Amino acid sequence: MSEDKHISEIDSSADVEKAARDSSKAAGVNSLGKHINNDDPDEALKLVTGEAVVLTPEDEKKLLRKIDRNLMPLLCVVYGLNYLDKTTLSYASIMGLRTDLHLVGQDYSWIASVFYFGYLFWEWPTNRLLQRLPLAKYSAFNVIMWGLTLCCLAAVKDFGGAMTVRFFLGAFEAAVSPGFALFTSQWYTIKEQGTRVAWWFSFNGWGQIVGGCVAYGIAVGTEAHPILIKSWQLIFLVTGFFTAFMGALFLYLMPDSQHNARFLTQQERVMAVERIRINRQGIGNKHFKWYQCKEALTDPMIWAFVLNSVICSIPNGGMSNYFSQLIVSFGFSENESLLLGAPGGAVQVITLLVAGHFGDRYKSRILFGAGGVLLAVLGLFLILLLPISNSAGRLVGYYLYQSSSTGFVALLGLISTNVAGWTKKTTAAAMYLVAYCVGNIIGPQVFVSTDAPQYRNANIVVLVCMFVSFAILLFIHAWCKYQNKLKAAIRAGPGYVKVDGQEFLDLTDRENPEFIYSL
């Protein structure tokens, strides 16, 4: 009797078992055998076939430390530069860029938004290339190109030039977040992924801290000792060339997968693959599978991810480009605002690390991410309700708002953890980041020039978005919990038999009864 028939024979007397059977049919579990292809397995199966691998807890801890030591510094620094390079526009906006480029009305908002038009245009193709090409090499190419493109912003003379360069900057940066999510799912177990995503994403905060200090130093230094170029041009050159340099290091040091990790011995490569067997996802498959793409496009969980990405990216698109001007509106000078933005980055670092650590520890990543969103709501209330004269209190409100990224990061990590099947995973990542682009395009347009300098209406929109994002996170948590109950009923059914090597057959999360969703 086939496994498909075994699964379909689950006792229908219990409601949950009936629901499990119906769910399995809808998700494609009953066609499990149809999608098992031993000639097209995950890349991991090429390493683990052969003699059995014995991995003791001591060996695994030692190996994990070695992986962290070689991968995390690169991922963290490059991701921090990803954010820093986007926020240089905010610093430049109060360092003379608006005046020198003769920007009027919503011109600055469109320069901020057009970055995400480039990101949106190239997001789907770049996700396909991330799957098809060597992961590290293609990622490094994009890092180098976005650094050199950022340097070109120092040469723009008008609105049109800035729009063109920002468009291409967005296209090259489109590979970063989905690529880093793939690296994380390749190398780390489910219980480790939330913390690791929080580590590299928290460097957005470090990027803001370093960026504020660098921008302040350049602004003050060029005032005291003028040079041939403007201060806003210099910041683009400094950050751009450093990014290109880090891209070259990334190209040399970062492995595409366990197969070509030079810092591991052959035995350690096999162990590195074996330890992530528990993920039931493998480390990669380069063939595009239409049924997985279709499943991603019809999965309610994926669409909830997408909706949340749009909603929480509207505030991000506005705040990341206007935070320097917002701090000035609290009553601080332009140079002071460059430094005062740095503590906001520290808040982001702390809240992301705390949410990531305790989310993994208590197996509740979504709820801890939602907690950071509530903290951001409190901050927005301070900005909106405190008197304009209370500069310090409103600044604290802005700092608290910086905890808002915990929800976004929780779901970004869950694309690595809760989406299986490499075509489905890359499709879901593309959908998530397309939605991210749409939200970030809308965000700067919410900050209307006629509302300056307080931008009260924009802050109200941001507050509403945070409430909606919180509700979506609660829905996703409930959905994943329910799906786990359905899968448990399928596995408990009489005659259910697990397929040998099922973890490395590139099955999707919905068609694999062994898959368990992280909460």
Side-chain angles (χ1 to χ4, degrees), residues 7 110 112 144 174 190 243 245 251 292 357 387 401 511:
I7 296 174
W110 281 113
I144 293 169
I190 287 175
T243 298
F245 169 73
L251 177 63
Q292 292 193 10
H357 173 75
Y401 162 77
E511 69 179 333

Side-chain angles (χ1 to χ4, degrees), residues 395-409:
L395 183 62
V396 169
Y398 166 72
Y399 292 154
L400 291 177
Y401 162 77
Q402 290 296 99
S403 67
S404 62
S405 57
T406 56
F408 181 88
V409 174

Side-chain angles (χ1 to χ4, degrees), residues 330 378-398 400 454 456:
F330 296 159
L378 173 60
L380 289 164
F381 273 124
L382 292 178
I383 293 174
L384 286 166
L385 300 181
L386 287 178
I388 293 177
S389 59
N390 192 341
S391 300
R394 300 180 76 206
L395 183 62
V396 169
Y398 166 72
L400 291 177
Q454 300 301 326
R456 182 174 179 81

Side-chain angles (χ1 to χ4, degrees), residues 16-35:
V16 68
E17 291 177 344
K18 181 179 184 301
R21 187 180 69 239
D22 295 341
S23 175
S24 69
K25 289 178 180 178
V29 173
N30 281 346
S31 61
L32 180 61
K34 176 183 177 182
H35 295 142

Side-chain angles (χ1 to χ4, degrees), residues 193-241:
Q193 287 176 14
T195 301
R196 268 61 184 190
V197 172
W199 284 0
W200 53 256
F201 201 99
S202 71
F203 269 67
N204 278 0
W206 286 109
Q208 186 170 339
I209 293 169
V210 172
C213 295
V214 170
Y216 178 79
I218 288 175
V220 173
T222 53
E223 282 180 6
H225 306 284
I227 56 177
L228 295 177
I229 59 175
K230 302 290 182 68
S231 59
W232 62 266
Q233 294 174 309
L234 182 58
I235 194 171
F236 286 134
L237 292 173
V238 169
T239 55
F241 279 124

Side-chain angles (χ1 to χ4, degrees), residues 69-385:
R69 191 166 59 247
N70 284 274
L71 301 190
M72 276 296 131
L74 285 170
L75 295 176
C76 289
V77 172
V78 171
Y79 205 82
L81 289 170
N82 171 60
Y83 185 78
L84 171 60
D85 292 352
K86 288 197 288 282
T87 56
T88 48
L89 184 66
S90 178
Y91 302 130
S93 70
I94 59 171
M95 295 170 73
L97 176 140
R98 290 180 140 216
T99 302
D100 291 343
L101 299 190
H102 313 293
L103 304 182
V104 295
Q106 290 294 101
D107 284 355
Y108 176 78
S109 292
W110 281 113
I111 290 174
S113 290
V114 76
F115 173 94
Y116 294 99
F117 279 104
Y119 204 120
L120 181 62
F121 169 77
W122 197 239
E123 185 57 43
W124 200 281
T126 207
N127 270 271
R128 181 70 184 101
L129 292 171
L130 284 166
Q131 182 186 8
R132 191 73 185 90
L133 299 177
L135 181 57
K137 295 177 180 63
Y138 179 67
S139 298
F141 165 77
N142 282 278
V143 175
I144 293 169
M145 291 306 299
W146 109 52
L148 297 178
T149 303
L150 184 66
C151 292
C152 294
L153 275 174
V156 300
K157 303 297 183 183
D158 53 27
F159 173 73
M163 290 283 286
T164 302
V165 174
R166 287 276 294 176
F167 178 88
F168 284 104
L169 187 63
F172 286 122
E173 290 200 29
V176 179
S177 291
F180 280 31
L182 292 177
F183 279 122
T184 306
S185 64
Q186 267 188 345
W187 288 90
Y188 295 100
T189 65
I190 287 175
K191 68 179 182 179
E192 297 160 357
Q193 287 176 14
T195 301
R196 268 61 184 190
V197 172
W199 284 0
W200 53 256
F201 201 99
S202 71
F203 269 67
N204 278 0
W206 286 109
Q208 186 170 339
I209 293 169
V210 172
C213 295
V214 170
Y216 178 79
I218 288 175
V220 173
T222 53
E223 282 180 6
H225 306 284
I227 56 177
L228 295 177
I229 59 175
K230 302 290 182 68
S231 59
W232 62 266
Q233 294 174 309
L234 182 58
I235 194 171
F236 286 134
L237 292 173
V238 169
T239 55
F241 279 124
F242 184 71
T243 298
F245 169 73
M246 285 304 304
L249 284 182
F250 198 93
L251 177 63
Y252 179 73
L253 297 173
M254 193 72 180
D256 297 304
S257 70
Q258 289 88 335
H259 284 276
N260 64 350
R262 288 179 295 178
F263 64 89
L264 298 178
T265 65
Q266 181 61 31
Q267 179 65 14
E268 287 173 333
R269 293 175 189 177
V270 176
M271 292 165 62
V273 171
E274 184 63 34
R275 67 183 294 275
I276 57 96
R277 183 187 289 270
I278 192 175
N279 294 356
R280 304 174 181 90
Q281 297 184 39
I283 64 171
N285 184 294
K286 296 187 180 300
H287 301 125
F288 187 84
K289 300 179 180 180
W290 277 108
Y291 88 92
Q292 292 193 10
C293 179
K294 180 181 177 181
E295 184 176 310
L297 293 170
T298 56
D299 190 335
M301 181 185 72
I302 301 300
W303 283 108
F305 282 17
V306 169
L307 180 59
N308 186 76
S309 183
V310 172
I311 294 299
C312 65
S313 295
I314 293 173
N316 179 72
M319 288 292 198
S320 63
N321 290 289
Y322 278 88
F323 72 87
S324 294
Q325 297 174 52
L326 194 65
I327 294 174
V328 170
S329 76
F330 296 159
F332 300 99
S333 72
E334 293 178 346
N335 282 351
E336 286 175 337
S337 75
L338 296 173
L339 276 182
L340 290 174
V347 172
Q348 186 179 42
V349 171
I350 293 169
T351 53
L352 283 172
L353 293 180
V354 169
H357 173 75
F358 287 103
D360 276 348
R361 181 174 180 180
Y362 295 105
K363 299 180 180 179
S364 191
R365 288 153 62 178
I366 301 173
L367 293 184
F368 275 96
V373 175
L374 283 184
L375 196 60
V377 167
L378 173 60
L380 289 164
F381 273 124
L382 292 178
I383 293 174
L384 286 166
L385 300 181

